Amino acid sequence: MRFSRFYFLQIIVMGILGVLALSLFHVQVLRGYYYRGLSIRNHIRLIPMESSRGRVFDCQGRLLATNRASYDVVAIPEDVTPEVYPRLAKLLGMKEKDVRQRMSAGREYPFAPAVIKPDIPRELAFTIEERKPELPGVTIRVSGIRYYPYAETASHVIGYIGAINAAEYEKSDRDRFGINSTVGRAGIEKYFDEDLRGWRGGEQIEVDARGRMIRVLSTRPPEPGRDLTLTLDLELQRRIMEMIKGQRASIAIMDLESEGLLAMASAPAYDPNIFVSPSASHQRLSVLTDVDSPMLDRSIGASYPPGSIFKLVTALAALDLGKITPQTRFFCNSKFKVGKSGRIARCWFESGHGSINLYEAIERSCNVYFYNVAMRLSPDEIAKYAHELGLGEPMKLEISRLTPGLIPDSAWKKARFRQPWYQGETLNMAIGQGYVLVTPLEILRLTAIIAKNGRFVEPHLVRREEDSVTNPDRVSIREQNLDVIKRAMLKVVESDYGTGQLARVDFDQLAAKTGTAQAPPKKAHSWMTGFFPYKEPKIAFVVFVERGGSGGITSARIAKQMLEVWRELHAPKTV
Amino acid sequence: MLRRLFKDFHPSLVFAVVGLAAIGMFFIYSASFHDPGHYEVKQIFWIAIGLMIMITVAYTGYRPFLSMAYLFYGFSIALLILVHLIGSTHLGAQRWLRFGPVVIQPSEFAKLGTLLALVNYLGTRNPLQGQFSVILGAVAIVAVPLVLIIKQPDLGTALLFIPMLAVVFFLWGIQWRFLIISALGVLAAMPFVWEMLKDYQKKRILVFLNPNLDPLGSGYTAVQSKIAVGSGELFGKGYLSGTQTQLHFVPEHHTDFIFCVIGEELGFIGSLLVLCLYAYLFHSIFAIMEHTTDIRAKLLSGGVLALFLGHVLINIGMTIGLMPIAGVPLPLISYGGSSFVMNSIALGLVLSVYKERSIF
C-alpha cells in the first residue's frame, strides 16, 4: 500500500513538471514568434517627423503661404503631479477640468505627450518655459504650422489646409500621412497637395518600460515639399480686393502672353488661417454660415446669367454662319413682337435705337437687333458657337471644384423639361438671358480667345517654365469675324454712344463689353469683360458684381480703376 | 575526507542545488547589472552561508530538529504575530521584519516550522489507530500559520501549505475517504478565504481567469511576463540581451520574476534546463526517501519536496499565465537571503536523512 502510494506521488510530481515543460513549449516554441513580435513592439517605437509643407509664392517671389512656428503645450501625463493641474489651468486660461480631459485623451502609446493647448502665444510659451520647475511633465513643443501672411487677399486661390480625417488616414500612404497630418482642403493647397506635402521621416528608437529613450536605432530625415510659384501678382490682387470690398463680386485678370492669371479675386473672402489654428472654431463657424458665402469663389464656383455679354457669341455665330454681315441693319423701336403669340419683347433703351448695324448694336447693346438676329438662328447653332468659345466647357484651372456654366440647346430642353424649344427662348438666349449660365472665368476665357484672334486659351495659376509654348489650337471661327467683334468692343468704350464709356482710360484704348443680366426679383448682375490695349492686347479681364445693377455703371467704374492699377504696376513706364 | 563527504552527501542532490544556485547567480546579475544593488555579490554571500548551513544541518541530523519541532513552530507563530504588529509594509503587504540591518520574512520560517511540527505530530501517531481526530489536529497545526499568512496578506505563500499538508497526509497513510473529504473541505473554505482577501488579490485572481480584464492595470505584469518568456522562443535572445526584462517591462525581475529573465534570454532550452535540474533534485529526494524506514524522515522529505514543487509550479506557472500572479520566489534561483537559507535548512534535513540511512 505505502509502496504504491510512493510511486503514485513520484508520478504526480514528475507529471506536474511535465505539464510545466509542455506549457513552456507552447508559449516559447509554438507561440514564440507571436510573443517575439509583441516584445519588439513593446520596446521599439517609431517617432514620426513631419515634413515641412512647400511654400507658395506670387510671381514676384512674395510669400502667399508659408510655415511658422507653433508653440504647443504638451504634457506627459505619467510625469505630471496633481498640483500641476490648477497651475497650468490658470496659466492657459482654461478650466482645470478641461486640462484633465486633454491629459487623458487617447494617445498612441504610453508616455506619449498629450497636447494640452496647441499654438499658444510666444510670450506665454516663454513664461511656461521659465516656470518649468513647478510644472513637472509639462513642456513646450515647437512645431510647424501653416501660415498665410496675406490672410483674405488670395484665399480662394490658395485655399487652406485641414486635419486629416480617420477615413482618409486609413487608406493613405504612411510615408506621406500621419494621424496628425494636414491635407489641402481647397484651392492650390488641395490641387497641389501631392507636391506641397513632401515625405515624412522618422526615428526608430528603443525605449524602456517608462518610455524613456535608450538609443536611436535608425533615422530617416523628412523631405520637405516642393515650393510653388503662382502667376498671381499679390499687389494687384490686393488692390483689386480693396475695390470690391463689401460687395459680392469677382474680378479676374489674365496676362495674354503667358495665359497666366495675374489676379483672381472673389469677395467676400475669408482668412484661411482660421482653418489652421484649432482655436478659431467660432470664426470657422461664422465663415461657413455667413449668408454672403465667403467660402464661395464667385469666379469659378458659381454660374450666373451673362446678359448682354453673350451678344458677342450670338453675333459671332450669325457672322460665321453667314446669316448677317457687319452692315446688316435692323430697326429698333424698342419693341419686338415674338412669333404668333404677339407677346412684346422690349429693348432696354425705351426710345429705341433706330436703324443700326452690328457695330452700333454691340456698341449700344441693342436687344431688338439681336432678337432679329436670333430669328435667323437655331438655339443649337448658338450653343455650338458658345461651346466653341469655351462656355459651359470644363476648365483646366489648377483648382478643384470648378462648376462649369450651362449652355442650353433643344436636346437639353427636351431632356430637362420634356418640352420642345420655343422660339421666344431663342430670343432670350441671344441676349444672354433665360437658361444660359456662365462663370466669370469662362467669360474671361471667351474674351481672351477673341483678343488672341481665335487662339484657344486655357487660364492657369501656377507659373510654367515652358510659358512660351502657346496652345496651337484655334477655334473654328474665321479671324475676320473675330476682328469685327474686336472693333465693336472698342466702340463700346470709345464711342460716345457706347455702354462702357465709364471704363474709358486716358492712356490707351480699351475694348470691352458690358452686361446687365436680369435676375428677378432682385437687382441685376453687373458684368464687364474686355482686353487692353486694343492694339497688341496685353491683358484680358472680367468684372462681375452680383446684384450690382448696370454693367455700364458699376462694373465699368471698377474696370477703369483696375486698369489704372494695372498700368501703375505693370505697364512699361512711358512718360 | 572528501570521499567521506561524498559518501555522506547525496551527490546528485548537491549537484542539483549547486546547479540551480549558479543559474540563479548568473541571472540575478543579468536582471540587475544596470542597478546599483550588486545583488549577485550579495547572493554569492547567501549561497555560501546557505551551503554551510546545509552541511551543518546535515551533520546535526533531523532528529534534534523534530524533537524541537514545537519550539520552532511556536517561534515562527510568534514571528508571524509580530509581523502584524511591527512589520514593515512593502508593496501593500506586511511581510518583513527588520532587525537592524537584517530583514527577515517570517513566512519563510513558518513554512519549515509548520512542516516540522506536522511531521512530528503525525510521525508519532499510527494511521491504523483511528484517523479522524489526528487529522483534525494536523489541520489545526497548519491552519494557525495559514490564516496568519493570508492575513498579511501573502496568498501565494499560504497556498503552499496545502500541497505540503496533502503530501504529508498521503505519505502518512491517510484513508482515501479522508483525503477526499479534506479536498472537499478546502473547496468549501474557498468562499471564506475569498472574503478574507484584499481587493488587489481578488483582482489578481479575476485577471488571471480573464487577462483581458485589465491589460494596463493588474493584468500588465501578467501580460508582460508572458511576453518576456514567450519572446525567448527556442534559443532565447542571448545572455544579458532580454529587452523585456532589461528595459523593465517586467517588474521584480531579480526576485519573483527571475524566470522571465531566464526564459527570455535562454529560450525554451534554458527553461528546460531549469526544469530538468528541479526534476533531478526531486528525483534525488525520492531516492533518499526510498532508503529510509523512519516514517518521520519520509514525511519530512516528502513535505520538503511538496514545498519546493509548490514554489516551482506557482512561480513558473505565473510567468506564463498558468497561475495567478503571486509573490512566491523560485527556490534556489530567486534573489533573497531568507528564502535561500530556509531552502538550505530544508535540504540539509533531507541530506541528513540520507546520511543516517545506515542507522537501521
Side-chain angles (χ1 to χ4, degrees):
Chain A
M1 178 71 183
R2 203 164 296 168
F3 194 70
S4 69
R5 280 198 177 196
F6 185 64
Y7 275 107
F8 186 70
L9 188 66
Q10 275 182 300
I11 288 163
I12 286 183
V13 168
M14 293 306 161
I16 286 171
L17 289 180
V19 167
L20 272 182
L22 282 176
S23 306
L24 284 164
F25 182 78
H26 177 249
V27 172
Q28 295 188 283
V29 180
L30 300 183
R31 303 261 293 153
Y33 183 75
Y34 167 73
Y35 289 113
R36 178 64 67 100
L38 287 183
S39 95
I40 290 170
R41 250 189 287 160
N42 243 350
H43 75 101
I44 292 177
R45 206 153 280 166
L46 276 170
I47 307 295
M49 295 193 282
E50 300 293 334
S51 56
S52 69
R53 199 171 169 84
R55 294 164 300 172
V56 181
F57 297 94
D58 87 334
C59 65
Q60 311 263 4
R62 286 173 287 222
L63 270 174
L64 297 175
T66 181
N67 305 300
R68 67 172 169 86
S70 158
Y71 299 90
D72 308 331
V73 183
V74 298
I76 296 172
E78 286 85 345
D79 294 341
V80 169
T81 50
E83 66 270 17
V84 167
Y85 295 102
R87 285 179 196 158
L88 198 57
K90 204 177 158 205
L91 275 170
L92 297 176
M94 290 168 77
K95 283 185 192 134
E96 204 180 316
K97 194 187 75 185
D98 294 335
V99 174
R100 281 176 196 278
Q101 202 187 335
R102 291 290 178 86
M103 202 81 83
S104 56
R107 291 180 298 150
E108 281 176 79
Y109 48 86
F111 298 96
V115 179
I116 308 300
K117 193 172 187 180
D119 199 17
I120 58 164
R122 208 178 141 92
E123 299 73 39
L124 184 55
F126 288 146
T127 310
I128 289 173
E129 271 302 312
E130 279 162 18
R131 295 183 58 181
K132 222 171 164 179
E134 41 182 307
L135 299 166
V138 178
T139 44
I140 298 295
R141 185 180 66 186
V142 185
S143 61
I145 191 170
R146 199 61 160 168
Y147 178 56
Y148 305 100
Y150 300 98
E152 297 192 348
T153 305
S155 53
H156 294 108
V157 173
I158 298 163
Y160 56 90
I161 56 165
I164 193 169
N165 66 38
E168 289 168 323
Y169 174 69
E170 279 309 309
K171 56 187 177 199
S172 65
D173 178 358
R174 292 293 169 279
D175 282 342
R176 311 213 66 182
F177 296 87
I179 190 78
N180 295 318
S181 284
T182 50
V183 184
R185 291 291 182 209
I188 293 288
E189 290 275 30
K190 182 177 181 185
Y191 195 89
F192 288 100
D193 193 57
E194 280 279 301
D195 298 276
L196 291 166
R197 165 163 306 284
W199 295 80
R200 300 170 84 213
E203 262 184 350
Q204 212 179 29
I205 62 165
E206 185 172 46
V207 294
D208 67 5
R210 298 260 303 123
R212 286 176 301 216
M213 189 178 85
I214 307 293
R215 64 200 162 113
V216 177
L217 298 174
S218 68
T219 312
R220 190 182 73 195
E223 279 176 46
R226 191 162 72 86
D227 291 343
L228 287 178
T229 301
L230 301 187
T231 58
L232 285 194
D233 177 348
L234 175 78
E235 186 56 22
L236 183 61
Q237 175 91 10
R238 194 182 62 76
R239 301 274 288 268
I240 285 170
M241 283 302 286
E242 272 170 22
M243 287 174 206
I244 55 176
K245 202 169 186 177
Q247 304 183 65
R248 284 170 295 171
S250 157
I251 293 180
I253 307 173
M254 179 199 269
D255 177 46
L256 284 171
E257 194 196 333
S258 69
E259 299 178 13
L261 293 168
L262 290 170
M264 190 166 109
S266 174
Y270 59 92
D271 179 358
N273 290 307
I274 62 173
F275 290 91
V276 179
S277 177
S279 54
S281 58
H282 59 284
Q283 285 162 275
R284 279 199 291 278
L285 198 67
S286 78
V287 159
L288 290 168
T289 54
D290 193 321
V291 286
D292 284 335
S293 348
M295 298 294 292
L296 177 68
D297 186 347
R298 287 176 161 76
S299 52
I300 51 170
S303 41
Y304 305 90
S308 302
I309 286 184
F310 197 77
K311 287 171 184 166
L312 301 175
V313 177
T314 311
L316 276 172
L319 282 171
D320 214 49
L321 291 166
K323 303 286 166 101
I324 57 165
T325 70
Q327 297 310 324
T328 304
R329 287 186 171 268
F330 292 106
F331 187 80
C332 167
N333 63 354
S334 182
K335 291 188 187 107
F336 185 82
K337 208 191 265 176
V338 188
K340 286 169 259 169
S341 67
R343 207 162 52 80
I344 303 291
R346 290 184 173 275
C347 188
W348 64 272
F349 190 57
E350 281 167 28
S351 43
H353 289 106
S355 172
I356 49 173
N357 64 15
L358 181 64
Y359 293 113
E360 289 156 335
I362 290 175
E363 168 196 304
R364 298 164 203 190
S365 204
C366 175
N367 288 356
V368 171
Y369 187 94
F370 282 94
Y371 293 148
N372 282 295
V373 173
M375 295 301 286
R376 303 183 179 186
L377 290 166
S378 75
D380 298 359
E381 283 167 339
I382 301 175
K384 177 179 167 279
Y385 278 86
H387 284 296
E388 187 66 31
L389 289 158
L391 301 184
E393 291 289 317
M395 244 179 217
K396 289 188 190 133
L397 196 70
E398 304 94 321
I399 287 187
S400 318
R401 267 190 304 183
L402 296 156
T403 313
L406 171 72
I407 302 300
D409 55 27
S410 53
W412 172 85
K413 171 111 196 258
K414 196 151 192 155
R416 178 77 175 74
F417 296 106
R418 295 166 181 276
Q419 273 178 6
W421 184 275
Y422 301 116
Q423 197 170 34
E425 291 167 338
T426 316
L427 303 188
N428 258 337
M429 184 178 178
I431 60 161
Q433 297 286 161
Y435 304 120
V436 184
L437 294 173
V438 296
T439 67
L441 214 66
E442 282 176 342
I443 294 298
L444 176 66
R445 179 165 65 179
L446 164 85
T447 309
I449 292 169
I450 294 167
K452 294 192 90 173
N453 298 319
R455 200 174 285 284
F456 200 79
V457 175
E458 201 57 83
H460 63 264
L461 281 163
V462 174
R463 194 158 75 185
R464 295 167 185 169
E465 296 311 315
E466 66 278 22
D467 261 351
S468 50
V469 185
T470 42
N471 196 335
D473 289 350
R474 287 185 48 86
V475 294
S476 58
I477 296 172
R478 279 189 293 276
E479 215 170 317
Q480 67 195 69
N481 293 331
L482 290 163
D483 219 51
V484 169
I485 298 300
K486 282 170 82 171
R487 246 183 294 157
M489 286 171 77
L490 176 66
K491 296 184 77 179
V492 169
V493 180
E494 301 300 325
S495 153
D496 286 343
Y497 295 101
T499 54
Q501 10 179 335
L502 284 178
R504 203 182 294 163
V505 287
D506 50 15
F507 46 90
D508 213 331
Q509 285 183 312
L510 167 69
K513 178 76 193 84
T514 57
T516 307
Q518 305 302 320
K522 291 192 200 150
K523 250 172 117 180
H525 298 312
S526 169
W527 287 94
M528 183 177 240
T529 183
F531 54 92
F532 182 87
Y534 171 67
K535 282 174 188 152
E536 293 171 29
K538 289 199 165 60
I539 56 166
F541 67 88
V542 61
V543 176
F544 168 75
V545 183
E546 198 177 308
R547 308 282 174 204
S550 167
I553 299 170
T554 315
S555 294
R557 277 183 179 147
I558 294 172
K560 181 184 163 88
Q561 288 177 47
M562 185 201 77
L563 284 173
E564 280 161 354
V565 170
W566 177 80
R567 180 180 179 244
E568 185 189 324
L569 298 171
H570 282 266
K573 299 279 181 287
T574 46
V575 185
Chain B
M1 176 66 197
L2 208 66
R3 271 176 65 192
R4 172 71 200 275
L5 209 67
F6 270 110
K7 201 181 149 222
D8 285 349
F9 297 101
H10 195 273
S12 52
L13 188 145
V14 175
F15 173 80
V17 169
V18 172
L20 288 166
I23 288 179
M25 196 189 70
F26 279 114
F27 283 92
I28 287 164
Y29 176 73
S30 176
S32 63
F33 73 100
H34 291 302
D35 308 328
H38 288 296
Y39 294 108
E40 72 287 349
V41 178
K42 290 181 190 164
Q43 184 72 357
I44 290 171
F45 168 75
W46 286 117
I47 291 172
I49 298 271
L51 289 178
M52 284 193 298
I53 288 174
M54 190 166 81
I55 292 166
T56 311
V57 171
Y59 274 109
T60 311
Y62 63 91
R63 291 170 207 280
F65 284 90
L66 281 179
S67 50
M68 292 194 293
Y70 294 126
L71 198 66
F72 281 123
Y73 180 71
F75 181 63
S76 51
I77 297 288
L79 282 180
L80 283 176
I81 292 169
L82 204 60
V83 94
H84 276 286
L85 301 176
I86 60 161
S88 61
T89 306
H90 179 60
L91 299 174
Q94 273 192 324
R95 295 178 188 173
W96 287 267
L97 274 181
R98 186 178 283 278
F99 298 109
V102 185
V103 180
I104 62 164
Q105 205 176 339
S107 57
E108 288 292 331
F109 291 89
K111 280 185 258 182
L112 201 60
T114 309
L115 176 63
L116 286 170
L118 184 68
V119 167
N120 197 39
Y121 177 79
L122 285 177
T124 53
R125 280 161 178 81
N126 190 339
L128 302 176
Q129 294 172 345
Q131 291 196 342
F132 188 66
S133 59
V134 180
I135 289 168
L136 282 186
V139 168
I141 286 173
V142 175
V144 175
L146 184 76
V147 169
L148 284 170
I149 291 170
I150 290 178
K151 276 278 188 191
Q152 275 186 358
D154 185 354
L155 189 64
T157 306
L159 272 177
L160 294 166
F161 283 76
I162 291 165
M164 181 186 84
L165 181 63
V167 167
V168 172
F169 269 152
F170 189 68
L171 290 171
W172 176 63
I174 191 173
Q175 288 170 16
W176 284 102
R177 59 189 170 113
F178 286 120
L179 198 65
I180 291 161
I181 288 167
S182 320
L184 292 175
V186 169
L187 282 179
M190 285 301 179
F192 298 101
V193 175
W194 181 258
E195 286 305 310
M196 285 171 71
L197 294 180
K198 302 259 165 147
D199 280 345
Y200 86 94
Q201 291 179 309
K202 291 182 184 175
K203 207 168 172 189
R204 270 186 188 177
I205 291 171
L206 289 174
V207 167
F208 163 65
L209 296 172
N210 179 10
N212 298 326
L213 214 59
D214 186 13
L216 288 176
S218 49
Y220 178 81
T221 313
V223 170
Q224 293 298 347
S225 63
K226 196 170 181 182
I227 291 173
V229 174
S231 66
E233 297 185 282
L234 186 58
F235 296 108
K237 296 175 184 171
Y239 186 56
L240 304 182
S241 313
T243 55
Q244 283 290 103
T245 41
Q246 302 296 347
L247 302 175
H248 305 278
F249 287 97
V250 179
E252 306 280 322
H253 43 264
H254 63 290
T255 56
D256 293 347
F257 284 93
I258 192 147
F259 188 76
C260 288
V261 189
I262 302 172
E264 187 180 18
E265 297 187 349
L266 292 190
F268 181 62
I269 301 294
S271 308
L272 213 55
L273 176 71
V274 170
L275 283 182
C276 285
L277 281 170
Y278 281 119
Y280 199 49
L281 178 70
F282 299 155
H283 175 76
S284 312
I285 296 175
F286 279 124
I288 289 167
M289 286 164 75
E290 231 173 348
H291 287 101
T292 181
T293 46
D294 184 353
I295 178 67
R296 293 189 304 166
K298 191 164 274 183
L299 295 183
L300 182 62
S301 306
V304 169
L305 190 147
L307 277 175
F308 268 77
L309 181 69
H311 277 94
V312 171
L313 178 64
I314 291 179
N315 185 286
I316 296 182
M318 78 180 176
T319 65
I320 55 173
L322 222 55
M323 291 276 158
I325 302 296
V328 169
L330 192 57
L332 302 171
I333 293 182
S334 283
Y335 171 77
S338 294
S339 164
F340 198 90
V341 167
M342 289 324 290
N343 286 329
S344 302
I345 294 172
L347 290 172
L349 292 171
V350 176
L351 275 179
S352 77
V353 173
Y354 176 72
K355 193 170 157 288
E356 292 175 26
R357 69 195 182 283
S358 51
I359 278 176
F360 68 92

